[in-house]
């Protein structure tokens, strides 16, 4: 009724479908002439709707592929960091190992600031390595934590 008030005398609706033919939308066209959609025109619009459906499916597939690729890249970065850290603990001794582990973690996280530590046998927190600054200017008291040991 609303479209008739606007002068629409004919309507053509074509489904937009997923791969399994399940509907994902519709292409709807209105016309002011009651005979605006003869069979050849309807077939043409149906073909157009199929092409649009294919394009939408392609966009979704591309987005899924991009997400999967990003996830794989992240997993590869994590795996490389784990291998790097394992190698450090196998090949390095003392505080040099902690410095290299901190660098590996900061590289993985794309960060510039941090510290790396552990709980010793006495239950004390030991931070053998850290960046020069571990917080922003609003936390003046935590700027230098070099003597946490």
């Amino acid at each position: 009724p609303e479209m008739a008030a606007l002068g629409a005398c004919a309507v053509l609706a074509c489904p937009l479908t997923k791969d399994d033919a399940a509907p994902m939308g519709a292409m709807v066209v209105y016309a002011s002439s009651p005979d605006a959609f003869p069979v050849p025109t309807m077939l043409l619009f149906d073909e157009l709707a199929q092409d649009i459906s294919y394009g939408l499916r392609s966009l979704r597939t591309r987005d899924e592929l991009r997400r999967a690729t990003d996830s794989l890249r992240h997993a590869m970065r994590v795996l490389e960091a784990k291998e790097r850290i394992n190698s450090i603990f196998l090949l390095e001794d003392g505080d040099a190992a902690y410095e290299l582990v901190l660098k590996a973690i900061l590289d993985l996280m794309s960060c510039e600031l941090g510290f790396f530590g552990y709980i010793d046998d006495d239950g004390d927190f030991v931070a053998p390595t850290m960046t020069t600054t571990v917080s922003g200017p609003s936390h003046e008291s935590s700027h230098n934590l070099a003597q946490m040991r």
Side-chain angles (χ1 to χ4, degrees):
E2 297 88 17
M3 294 311 298
L6 295 174
C9 295
V11 62
L12 175 64
C14 300
L16 303 176
T17 58
K18 298 178 184 177
D19 285 330
D20 61 0
M24 68 172 158
M27 179 179 70
V28 181
V29 181
Y30 295 96
S32 58
S33 170
D35 57 350
F37 304 117
V39 172
T41 301
M42 286 190 281
L43 293 174
L44 180 67
F45 274 95
D46 185 59
E47 187 176 333
L48 180 61
Q50 290 176 32
D51 290 344
I52 291 170
S53 295
Y54 176 79
L56 292 172
R57 289 191 305 266
S58 295
L59 287 175
R60 288 181 178 181
T61 300
R62 186 176 60 192
D63 289 344
E64 290 169 4
L65 178 60
R66 185 179 306 123
R67 283 191 299 274
T69 301
D70 290 347
S71 179
L72 182 58
R73 281 189 186 120
H74 176 73
M76 291 298 295
R77 284 184 63 219
V78 169
L79 181 59
E80 288 168 4
K82 287 179 178 183
E83 289 176 357
R84 183 174 164 191
I85 290 169
N86 286 339
S87 294
I88 291 167
F89 280 124
L90 288 172
L91 302 174
E92 299 292 333
D93 290 325
D95 288 349
Y98 294 107
E99 290 175 19
L100 292 170
V101 168
L102 176 60
K103 179 160 179 26
I105 293 168
L106 295 176
D107 289 348
L108 174 66
M109 303 304 295
S110 299
C111 294
E112 297 176 14
L113 307 174
F115 63 92
F116 176 68
Y118 60 92
I119 305 295
D120 68 10
D121 292 338
D122 296 327
D124 295 325
F125 179 75
V126 179
T129 186
M130 64 189 61
T131 55
T132 305
T133 306
V134 293
S135 71
S138 62
H139 296 86
E140 293 295 327
S141 64
S142 60
H143 268 258
N144 262 329
L145 299 177
Q147 301 303 319
M148 288 184 70
R149 204 172 237 203

